[in-house]
Amino acid sequence: MNPWLAAATALMALGLAPVLWCVATGPLRRRVAAQNTGTLLVCLVLLLLARGYDRPPYTDVALVVALLGPVGTLVYARLLGPETGDDPQQQGPLTKALAVLATAAVVLPLCVAEGPGRSLAKLLIIGALLVGGNLVSAKALAGARPKEADDHG
């Protein structure tokens, strides 16, 4: 087993149980936030597996997950917004910082191992999508929505 596969195994072993617990229990807002964290976890594991098995197409799957994961969270936040209004806010600054640090801890070593080229650019884009998507999703789950044009004349 190479270090990339060991890191993927450790990330799944340490991250899967808490994410599944939060998805299955608790208030709705926490379950949606856990779904978003699960997407982050799956994407990071796919990146590590792509490097560990030397299968570059796995990186493309991670790119799709990085794009669609936050979109799914935003759809949930929009459709379930009224139902989550009474739930306490579950995703604080520590959770956002943890997501950023986890993304950096996986993507940066992969970038160093990859070297310059197209794959490096793809890894950086995936990292930016994961961090940006997590921050936008957290803001949406906190109830911060863009102002709608309610002042129709």
Side-chain angles (χ1 to χ4, degrees):
M1 178 180 280
N2 64 36
W4 303 109
L5 295 177
T9 302
L11 188 58
M12 283 297 286
L14 295 174
L16 187 61
V19 166
L20 289 177
W21 176 259
C22 289
V23 166
T25 64
L28 184 59
R29 188 184 307 234
R30 183 175 81 179
R31 288 185 276 155
V32 175
Q35 174 266 333
N36 189 51
T37 305
T39 300
L40 174 77
L41 177 74
V42 166
C43 190
L44 294 177
V45 167
L46 282 170
L47 289 174
L48 290 168
L49 290 175
R51 183 70 182 171
Y53 287 127
D54 195 27
R55 304 270 192 223
Y58 290 1
T59 306
D60 295 337
V61 176
L63 178 62
V64 171
V65 170
L67 279 170
L68 295 180
V71 171
T73 303
L74 293 174
V75 168
Y76 279 128
R78 179 71 174 162
L79 294 177
L80 301 175
E83 295 176 27
T84 62
D86 297 334
D87 291 347
Q89 184 174 348
Q90 295 290 331
Q91 197 168 16
L94 181 63
T95 308
K96 292 182 233 176
L98 187 63
V100 171
L101 290 174
T103 301
V106 170
V107 172
L108 292 178
L110 287 170
C111 288
V112 170
E114 193 63 43
R118 192 169 161 185
S119 296
L120 174 68
K122 193 184 298 186
L123 284 171
L124 292 174
I125 289 170
I126 291 171
L129 285 171
L130 286 174
V131 170
N134 194 287
L135 295 176
V136 168
S137 296
K139 191 170 187 174
L141 288 174
R145 292 189 191 139
K147 291 184 180 181
E148 297 179 12
D150 290 327
D151 299 330
H152 290 74

